[in-house]
Amino acid sequence: MADYRIETVRNGERDWTARNDRGAEVRIAAADNPEAQPSFTPVELLLAALGGCGGLVVDRTARTVEHDGLRIVVDSVSRPEDDGRVGVLRVSYEIDLAEGEDQAAEKLERAIRLTHEKYCTVSRTVAHGARVEALGPDGTTLFAGG
C-alpha cells in the first residue's frame, strides 16, 4: 500500500482546498456556506472515497463481467446516539443485468465482497478504525486516538 500526502489550505472562513502531489484539487466547505459552493463537506469526501475505492477495485476484480452501467451510491446514516460520528456507511452497488445473467451476477457479487473484505483500503481502514494523530505547529502530539 502506498503512502499519501494531501495539503489542505484555507481559502476563507469554513472554506478550504485540498491538493494532492499530482495537481488535483477539491474544495471543502460547510454545506451551509453559500459563498463556498460548489464544494464537498468532509463527510461527503469520505463517502466519495468509499465509492471511488469500491469502483476502482471492482474494475479489477470483476474484469470478466460487463459492468459499464455500474453505479455506486454511498449513504451515511447517523442517529443521535452516534455522538457526532457517522453510525453506518452504506455502499450500494446498482446495475441492471440482463435476465438469465446468473453467472455474471455471481461474479459481480463475489467482486463486491472481495472489495470490502480484502482490497478496498478505504473500506478496510474505516472498518478497522485507523489511528489518528494530530500534531501541533511545534510537532507536539495534541491528540492520538484509535
Side-chain angles (χ1 to χ4, degrees), residues 11-96:
N11 304 317
E13 177 141 357
R14 301 178 74 205
D15 181 7
W16 295 76
T17 298
R19 293 182 182 90
N20 67 16
D21 292 337
R22 296 178 312 282
E25 295 184 349
V26 63
R27 193 169 189 182
I28 306 165
D32 62 355
N33 182 349
E35 289 85 41
Q37 301 309 322
S39 65
F40 283 90
T41 68
V43 172
E44 289 170 335
L45 287 174
L46 175 64
L47 304 183
L50 275 168
C53 186
L56 291 170
V57 172
V58 166
D59 280 345
R60 272 194 182 155
T61 57
R63 284 183 217 153
T64 62
V65 178
E66 175 60 46
H67 62 277
D68 284 345
L70 180 62
R71 181 176 163 216
I72 302 170
V73 178
V74 185
D75 293 299
S76 66
V77 181
S78 300
R79 303 159 305 196
E81 59 268 25
D82 291 324
D83 193 31
R85 292 174 287 145
V86 174
V88 176
L89 296 165
R90 185 171 297 128
V91 185
S92 301
Y93 292 78
E94 301 173 357
I95 191 167
D96 289 327

Side-chain angles (χ1 to χ4, degrees), residues 73-132:
V73 178
V74 185
D75 293 299
S76 66
V77 181
S78 300
R79 303 159 305 196
E81 59 268 25
D82 291 324
D83 193 31
R85 292 174 287 145
V86 174
V88 176
L89 296 165
R90 185 171 297 128
V91 185
S92 301
Y93 292 78
E94 301 173 357
I95 191 167
D96 289 327
L97 296 174
E99 192 74 29
E101 291 281 334
D102 296 340
Q103 191 174 25
E106 288 174 15
K107 286 181 179 181
L108 188 58
E109 289 169 6
R110 180 179 183 276
I112 292 168
R113 274 193 306 279
L114 283 172
T115 294
H116 295 280
E117 291 173 357
K118 190 172 183 180
Y119 296 116
C120 176
T121 304
V122 177
S123 180
R124 295 181 69 234
T125 299
V126 169
H128 173 74
R131 180 172 176 79
V132 175

